[in-house]
């Protein structure tokens, strides 16, 4: 999802709780179990009215979880097939046919004019690579991004795979990207903020020699392909919207081995590192639970 600037929100310990209870934040969502914590319906109405965030019910979560299981199975299926000599369009065919066989729909197909069923991003391609006649070579890295719709529910995940035998740079950037995603996910819990996620990812990536792409961010998901909130993969601790149970969003840091700058190719989709350095990405769909988080696309 392309980043769009919005008004910054931040809740201090003594500020009114964003959930609308009328209590101070430190005595409400920051401390679970206190009397006076608002109902789920109240919080859901408040978060939609204030942030356009659609909190998910137990029934919704189960639907997204089932879609997420299909998404991870699709990625596992693709991983088994990837080899030097195949084209990125062959990967698209694998994803498309597997999704249809499982009674689901590939969300990217025809989304805002996107012509394929998945995004396949090789080496210097950061994201939104359109599958075509590019042939995978030994030593390449390739990211495959899968979003499926099953019984009306969306789930979204991606992985970066090695093609044949990876070189040292390939292993390094893939490892940084995967660790950065995991560190970001570890910050998900009620009372933390969206900014905490980006802060943790940025610290992790930069300490290990990577750079964080700014132009594309995580996003809410479940009822639609892209929902509120936006989830930047950089930022300051304590900034942004306070997380509450029922929020579902992706965490999907794009990490470059060189500089963070990018350009978008003439197809208006494919984002490439400006210095042609390697880029890697990992993504999961994450639920904020009462006590922390659950991945709805676990791997």
């Amino acid at each position: 999802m392309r980043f769009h600037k919005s008004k910054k929100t931040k809740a201090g310990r003594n500020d009114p709780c964003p959930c609308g209870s009328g209590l101070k934040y430190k005595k409400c969502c920051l401390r679970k179990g206190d009397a006076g914590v608002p109902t789920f319906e109240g919080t859901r109405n408040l978060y939609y009215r204030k942030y356009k965030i659609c909190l998910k019910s137990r029934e919704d979560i189960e639907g997204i979880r089932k879609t997420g299981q299909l998404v991870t199975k699709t990625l596992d299926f693709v991983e088994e097939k990837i080899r030097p000599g195949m084209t990125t369009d062959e990967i698209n065919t694998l994803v498309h046919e597997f999704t249809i066989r499982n009674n689901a729909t590939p969300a990217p197909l025809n989304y805002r004019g996107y012509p394929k069923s998945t995004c396949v991003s090789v080496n210097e391609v950061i994201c939104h690579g359109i599958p075509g006649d590019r042939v995978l070579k030994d030593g390449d890295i390739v990211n495959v991004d899968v979003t499926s719709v099953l019984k009306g529910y969306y789930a979204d995940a991606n992985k970066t795979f090695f093609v044949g035998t990876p070189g040292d740079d390939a292993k390094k950037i893939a490892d940084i990207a995967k660790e950065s995603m995991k560190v970001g996910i570890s910050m998900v819990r009620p009372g933390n903020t969206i900014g905490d996620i980006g802060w943790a990812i940025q610290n992790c990536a930069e300490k290990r020699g990577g750079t964080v792409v700014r132009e594309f961010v995580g996003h809410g998901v479940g009822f639609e392909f892209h929902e509120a909130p936006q989830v930047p993969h950089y930022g300051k601790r304590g900034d942004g919207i306070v997380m509450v149970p029922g929020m579902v969003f992706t965490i999907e840091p794009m990490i470059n081995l060189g500089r963070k700058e990018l350009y978008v190719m003439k197809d208006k989709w494919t984002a490439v590192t400006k210095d042609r350095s390697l880029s890697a990405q990992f993504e999961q769909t994450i639920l904020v639970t009462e006590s922390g988080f659950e991945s709805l696309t676990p791997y």
Side-chain angles (χ1 to χ4, degrees):
M1 180 178 182
R2 184 175 284 277
F3 175 69
H4 297 283
K5 288 186 178 180
S6 59
K7 186 177 180 181
K8 187 184 292 184
T9 57
K10 180 177 180 179
R13 291 175 56 84
N14 292 305
D15 291 341
C17 188
C19 72
S21 66
L23 301 174
K24 289 184 178 180
Y25 172 51
K26 67 181 180 181
K27 292 189 176 181
C28 186
C29 287
L30 191 62
R31 292 173 58 193
K32 306 313 294 178
D34 286 350
V37 173
T39 64
F40 173 77
E41 285 300 324
T43 304
R44 179 158 68 174
N45 291 339
L46 186 281
Y47 265 62
Y48 184 76
R49 184 173 69 250
K50 191 169 184 179
Y51 306 118
K52 300 302 179 186
I53 293 173
C54 297
L55 301 185
K56 276 64 177 182
S57 67
R58 290 180 182 177
E59 180 182 355
D60 298 328
I61 292 163
E62 183 57 29
I64 300 168
R65 185 182 289 114
K66 289 179 179 178
T67 309
Q69 290 168 355
L70 173 60
V71 167
T72 54
K73 287 179 182 177
T74 307
L75 289 169
D76 289 343
F77 175 70
V78 169
E79 185 172 15
E80 294 174 357
K81 304 293 185 181
I82 285 179
R83 67 188 188 283
M86 74 186 307
T87 66
T88 56
D89 199 45
E90 288 180 87
I91 295 175
N92 181 77
T93 299
L94 291 172
V95 171
H96 181 87
E97 292 181 351
F98 189 87
T99 304
I100 298 302
R101 282 200 305 272
N102 284 276
N103 302 309
T105 303
L109 185 60
N110 299 319
Y111 177 76
R112 298 181 179 176
Y114 188 79
K116 296 290 183 174
S117 295
T118 188
C119 298
V120 183
S121 303
V122 183
N123 293 342
E124 77 283 355
V125 179
I126 295 169
C127 63
H128 301 161
I130 299 176
D133 58 5
R134 182 168 181 171
V135 177
L136 300 181
K137 297 179 293 185
D138 185 71
D140 284 346
I141 58 173
V142 57
N143 179 274
V144 181
D145 195 337
V146 175
T147 308
S148 299
V149 192
L150 181 64
K151 297 183 179 179
Y153 290 106
Y154 292 70
D156 189 1
N158 72 53
K159 287 184 178 181
T160 296
F161 302 112
F162 297 132
V163 182
T165 304
D168 291 342
D169 283 349
K171 289 188 285 188
K172 178 180 178 180
I173 193 59
D175 188 56
I176 294 172
K178 192 169 187 178
E179 183 184 4
S180 296
M181 179 196 67
K182 289 180 177 179
V183 168
I185 291 172
S186 74
M187 300 302 291
V188 176
R189 65 181 68 92
N192 276 7
T193 69
I194 295 296
D196 293 340
I197 298 170
W199 169 82
I201 290 170
Q202 184 178 5
N203 278 349
C204 175
E206 292 179 353
K207 283 180 180 178
R208 296 197 56 191
T211 59
V212 180
V213 171
R214 266 59 168 176
E215 290 85 347
F216 299 98
V217 298
H219 54 87
V221 69
F223 298 148
E224 301 290 344
F225 196 164
H226 295 106
E227 306 174 11
Q230 295 186 30
V231 184
H233 304 115
Y234 63 95
K236 296 180 180 179
R237 193 165 195 172
D239 277 359
I241 296 168
V242 175
M243 289 180 267
V244 293
M247 291 175 70
V248 177
F249 49 77
T250 67
I251 296 178
E252 48 180 301
M254 287 144 273
I255 309 298
N256 298 346
L257 192 58
R259 296 179 61 84
K260 65 180 183 296
E261 289 80 15
L262 61 79
Y263 67 93
V264 177
M265 298 180 70
K266 291 181 180 179
D267 61 24
K268 298 183 180 180
W269 285 100
T270 308
V272 179
T273 56
K274 198 168 184 178
D275 61 6
R276 310 296 286 186
S277 62
L278 293 177
S279 184
Q281 181 186 19
F282 290 85
E283 173 188 22
Q284 293 193 37
T285 293
I286 302 298
L287 164 71
V288 183
T289 67
E290 292 289 340
S291 58
F293 69 89
E294 175 190 347
S295 174
L296 301 179
T297 53
Y299 60 75

